Amino acid sequence: LLRRKDLTEDVRADLQTILEATERVRKIVKGLLDFSRQTRLDREQMDVNRLISTTLSLMENQALLKGVQLVFKPGGDLPMVNMDRTQFQSVLLNLLINALDASEPGDSITVSTSNGLVTNEAGQQGIEISITDTGCGIPPEHLNKLFDPFFTTKEVGHGTGLGLSVSLGIVQRHGGTIRVSSEVGKGSTFTIWVPLEGRVR
Ligand SMILES: Nc1ncnc2c1ncn2[C@@H]1O[C@H](COP(=O)(O)OP(=O)(O)O)[C@@H](O)[C@H]1O
Ligand SMILES: [Mg+2]
């Protein structure tokens, strides 16, 4: 498309931006396989709301192209958390790309973070990130296979079935969990909980 001679400079510039952003996302996701083999976490003190904003901006062009709205609802009073930035961003990108794949034009994807702390059943303090889409939803019989390596419903060449299993591995290495709720035809919510444990005080 970029090679066409009949494009205005504006259109050409927009196409170039889309191409670059798409390439950047592709590289980050491709790097996932390497991260999954790397057991060591390179933690740093992180503002999770800021990381989400940055990650959403990487997805903006793709969402726009598909006619899907991206919404961010940052919770207040979110403490800094000690996490591996690169690995955690891969988790977010994976869940966002899955949500986008499940969406059609007119759908929306909403990312929200908890207001301050969320305590789990074991009494550990942490924070929560939810990614909700209004897409196709997940049939109940698939729910317990989602995180299995190589489970995919996408056509050959479109899905590896590794995204969720790698993402769960990364979250678990941070001491966290991912839970899913979904209804066919209505959409899905993936909720990540990560403990504050190990954060820099
Ligand atoms: N937000 C979502 N909405 C609907 N289905 C989903 C969603 N996220 C994941 N899935 C289902 O889970 C499967 C596995 O996801 P994943 O491990 O990321 O592999 P892949 O995206 O390569 O198929 C997908 O093929 C899809 O069927
Ligand atoms: Mg995926």
Side-chain angles (χ1 to χ4, degrees):
L1 194 57
L2 264 179
R3 274 184 226 107
R4 273 171 53 169
K5 298 263 152 44
D6 58 342
L7 298 175
T8 66
E9 270 316 302
D10 277 356
V11 172
R12 190 176 295 278
D14 284 351
L15 279 175
Q16 192 61 44
T17 308
I18 291 167
L19 203 68
E20 279 165 19
T22 308
E23 182 63 12
R24 201 159 52 180
V25 171
R26 198 188 62 80
K27 277 193 187 138
I28 291 168
V29 173
K30 186 171 163 287
L32 256 177
L33 288 175
D34 302 331
F35 304 148
S36 71
R37 284 184 214 106
Q38 169 191 318
T39 48
R40 199 177 62 86
L41 291 179
D42 189 6
R43 289 186 182 228
E44 57 186 294
Q45 204 178 29
M46 270 183 20
D47 176 341
V48 172
N49 281 335
R50 228 183 114 201
L51 180 73
I52 293 171
S53 298
T54 311
T55 309
L56 283 173
S57 64
L58 290 175
M59 298 287 302
E60 241 160 44
N61 282 317
Q62 271 162 300
L64 201 68
L65 272 177
K66 200 166 178 179
V68 172
Q69 197 192 358
L70 292 182
V71 181
F72 183 28
K73 293 185 175 161
D77 296 324
L78 210 63
M80 300 284 266
V81 186
N82 221 29
M83 301 202 279
D84 186 308
R85 174 187 299 276
T86 318
Q87 293 194 41
F88 209 76
Q89 186 170 38
S90 309
V91 173
L92 294 172
L93 278 171
N94 254 291
L95 296 182
L96 286 167
I97 291 168
N98 279 347
L100 197 57
D101 284 344
S103 297
E104 286 183 0
D107 279 328
S108 62
I109 300 171
T110 305
V111 183
S112 59
T113 49
S114 52
N115 277 308
L117 296 170
V118 178
T119 307
N120 71 359
E121 294 99 346
Q124 277 179 297
Q125 291 189 319
I127 63 151
E128 227 162 52
I129 304 165
S130 295
I131 299 173
T132 299
D133 65 71
T134 60
C136 61
I138 302 164
E141 66 270 25
H142 287 172
L143 282 177
N144 61 352
K145 299 181 203 149
L146 285 188
F147 295 94
D148 292 353
F150 307 112
F151 175 79
T152 183
T153 56
K154 295 171 191 174
E155 287 167 37
V156 176
H158 286 270
T160 58
L162 286 173
L164 284 179
S165 79
V166 169
S167 297
L168 181 62
I170 291 171
V171 170
Q172 285 178 337
R173 250 178 278 136
H174 283 82
T177 55
I178 304 182
R179 56 175 204 277
V180 190
S181 70
S182 184
E183 202 178 323
V184 173
K186 293 226 166 129
S188 312
T189 297
F190 285 75
T191 305
I192 304 169
W193 177 87
V194 273
L196 297 183
E197 206 172 84
R199 86 193 148 114
V200 177
R201 274 175 244 273

